[in-house]
Amino acid sequence: MTALEEVTSGEQLRRVFGCFPSGVTALCALVDGVPVGMAASSFTSVSVAPPLVSVCIQNSSSTWPKLRHRSRLGLSVLAEGQDQACLRLSAKEGDRFAGVRWEASADASVFVHDASAWLDCSLYAEVPAGDHTIALLEIHALWAAPDTPPLIFHGSRFRRLAAL
C-alpha cells in the first residue's frame, strides 16, 4: 500500500478532492426582477421523503446571501457543452447571465435552458460545515431530460462521460 500523507494544505486537499468527478449545477432566482445565480459542483441527492437535495456553498460567497431568503430557487443540472454557462455563473465580477439562456418561473425560480434537469426548490435547512454551509433544498417541482449527458467536472477540468 502507498503511504498516506498528513493533511498539510488546502491545495493538497483540493488536488485530492479533484479526483472525484462531480456534476455541476446552477442555483438561481430572480432578486428584484434580476436573475442572480451561482454554480455549485457539490450537489447530491439526500432524501426521497421529503424530497431533498444538497449543495455546499463557501461561507465567503457573496451570492448565497442574496439567494437564501428567496421563497423559491431554481436548480439546473448543467449539461455537457454548458462549460461557458458554468464559467459565467462562477465569475466573481460582471454579468453572470451574459450569453446564458434562461427562463424564470411564476415563483421567481430561474432555470438555465438546455440543462439536463430542473428542480424548483426552497431552502429546507442549513448546516454549518467548516468553511462551507450545506444547504438542504426541498424539491417542489421538477423536470428531466435523462438522455442529455451532464456536465462533468474532474481534476479542475470539464470532462465528458464515455459510453461503453
Side-chain angles (χ1 to χ4, degrees):
M1 178 173 161
T2 302
L4 296 173
E5 300 174 30
E6 291 293 320
V7 177
T8 58
S9 72
E11 180 180 314
Q12 178 190 34
L13 278 170
R14 283 187 286 281
R15 181 175 43 84
V16 171
F17 291 165
C19 291
F20 184 75
S22 65
V24 184
T25 62
L27 189 59
C28 312
L30 291 178
V31 177
D32 299 326
V34 177
V36 173
M38 59 192 285
S41 61
S42 55
F43 164 78
T44 191
S45 58
V46 174
S47 172
V48 172
L52 300 174
V53 295
S54 70
V55 292
C56 295
I57 300 163
Q58 287 181 334
N59 293 337
S60 62
S61 171
S62 60
T63 306
W64 181 240
K66 297 173 188 173
L67 293 174
R68 67 190 298 260
H69 295 294
R70 302 287 105 199
S71 62
R72 291 292 174 93
L73 299 166
L75 191 141
S76 301
V77 177
L78 298 181
E80 185 176 282
Q82 291 189 304
D83 314 33
Q84 291 306 309
C86 179
L87 293 172
R88 294 292 313 153
L89 289 164
S90 299
K92 298 288 184 203
E93 297 178 8
D95 179 1
R96 289 184 178 180
F97 286 86
V100 176
R101 293 180 43 240
W102 59 274
E103 66 182 78
S105 67
D107 57 12
S109 297
V110 170
F111 300 99
V112 176
H113 280 208
D114 303 319
S116 61
W118 290 350
L119 304 173
D120 185 47
C121 305
S122 62
L123 182 61
Y124 182 82
E126 289 180 294
V127 179
D131 59 4
H132 281 65
T133 295
I134 301 169
L136 294 168
L137 305 173
E138 184 171 6
I139 303 165
H140 301 284
L142 46 76
W143 169 87
D147 291 333
T148 301
L151 183 62
I152 303 295
F153 194 70
H154 175 257
S156 299
R157 297 188 324 209
F158 296 112
R159 311 272 186 158
R160 294 178 185 258
L161 291 177
L164 298 176

